[in-house]
Amino acid sequence: MNFRSIAEARYTTKKFDPTRRVPDSQIADLKHILKLSPSSINSQPWLFTFVSNKQVKDELANASYSNASKIKDASHLVVFSVMDNLEEFEKRVEENLLENSIKFYKQFVKTQPEEKTINWLSQQVYITLGFFLAACASMEIDSTPMEGIEPKKYKEILNIEDHKVLFSVALGYRHLEDDTQPNLIGKSRLAADTVIQSID
Ligand SMILES: Cc1cc2nc3c(=O)[nH]c(=O)nc-3n(C[C@H](O)[C@H](O)[C@H](O)COP(=O)(O)O)c2cc1C
């Protein structure tokens, strides 16, 4: 499938088939792909937590409002977090980034209020979401991105330190009875001339 067809076919899955599991080899590929995500100055301020353990996945489902049933039936849940311990983050910057990137960080990022810096770091994590959803669709794995979760509860359940949980993505295969599939209801989007302009 070319990328245009992939974009047309992917959708936010509302009901997963609870009997199907994403093979370990594809989960390994997705981990590798996430690691390759781009970020400003190659900052990589993220933590990706893959959960397939049923008990932990159910606990997270119960901290996910109306998304609970999707997570319970999904094969895996991936939790996306941003580093919010800026001291630790700066150590990472100093140890791993190129000199110009370190300069950029010190001059333009570090000089802002802490909240703005964490926002900037969070934007980098959101880039990985788009990358990840496209990767899943290209592998014919269905997905549900979710901000409708309780980040503090997630953090506690997963014992996550130095990071703030932002959102999660359920992975698996659509239930045949999911009546929100694009082949049944199409895609709902604003008109191209509302959101795209060309200056030729
Ligand atoms: C950052 C983000 C958070 C979202 N949170 C939820 C959510 O909590 N629950 C849900 O069912 N869908 C959620 N969605 C899915 C969007 O509603 C969906 O992408 C949008 O309506 C377009 O539909 P499509 O993904 O099927 O093309 C989220 C999407 C994004 C990108």
Side-chain angles (χ1 to χ4, degrees):
M1 247 202 296
N2 64 28
F3 198 82
R4 182 188 167 114
S5 308
I6 290 169
E8 285 168 350
R10 74 140 290 284
Y11 79 116
T12 294
T13 303
K14 300 289 185 194
K15 192 172 165 59
F16 286 95
D17 178 344
T19 66
R20 295 185 66 193
R21 190 184 154 90
V22 179
D24 289 347
S25 62
Q26 287 196 312
I27 293 295
D29 284 346
L30 286 173
K31 288 176 179 168
H32 181 65
I33 290 164
L34 270 179
K35 208 172 89 76
L36 295 174
S37 296
S39 56
S40 181
I41 61 165
N42 206 14
S43 51
Q44 306 165 74
W46 42 59
L47 175 70
F48 308 114
T49 310
F50 281 70
V51 181
S52 60
N53 176 286
K54 186 173 161 31
Q55 197 186 325
V56 178
K57 196 161 65 63
D58 282 356
E59 263 186 78
L60 293 167
N62 292 332
S64 306
Y65 306 110
S66 62
N67 290 310
S69 63
K70 295 164 209 157
I71 298 172
K72 283 183 182 164
D73 289 343
S75 162
H76 289 70
L77 184 70
V78 187
V79 180
F80 291 65
S81 307
V82 63
M83 194 168 237
D84 65 351
N85 178 337
L86 293 183
E87 225 171 276
E88 279 304 307
F89 178 70
E90 278 161 30
K91 258 193 231 160
R92 214 191 248 191
V93 165
E94 301 269 5
E95 283 166 17
N96 298 291
L97 300 196
L98 296 175
E99 205 182 307
N100 274 348
S101 301
I102 298 175
K103 250 195 214 158
F104 177 92
Y105 179 77
K106 287 189 174 159
Q107 195 175 346
F108 297 108
V109 184
K110 195 182 155 109
T111 46
Q112 308 178 105
E114 201 166 286
E115 194 189 336
K116 271 201 155 179
T117 300
I118 294 171
N119 263 344
W120 179 79
L121 296 175
S122 303
Q123 286 167 12
Q124 312 312 317
V125 183
Y126 273 85
I127 294 169
T128 72
L129 173 61
F131 205 56
F132 188 67
L133 296 179
C136 291
S138 77
M139 294 160 71
E140 297 187 3
I141 295 169
D142 289 314
S143 62
T144 307
M146 292 168 292
E147 282 181 318
I149 62 171
E150 296 184 74
K152 286 191 182 142
K153 288 194 183 163
Y154 266 52
K155 194 171 148 92
E156 262 177 47
I157 294 165
L158 297 171
N159 288 316
I160 288 177
E161 285 179 1
D162 299 327
H163 292 75
K164 174 182 162 193
V165 171
L166 295 174
F167 54 87
S168 64
V169 177
L171 299 180
Y173 301 98
R174 67 190 70 178
H175 197 292
L176 292 180
E177 283 169 15
D178 184 355
D179 53 17
T180 66
Q181 298 175 58
N183 56 323
L184 301 176
I185 60 162
K187 300 287 295 177
S188 164
R189 290 295 189 269
L190 297 173
D193 61 5
T194 307
V195 294
I196 297 171
Q197 57 178 353
S198 307
I199 318 287
D200 298 318

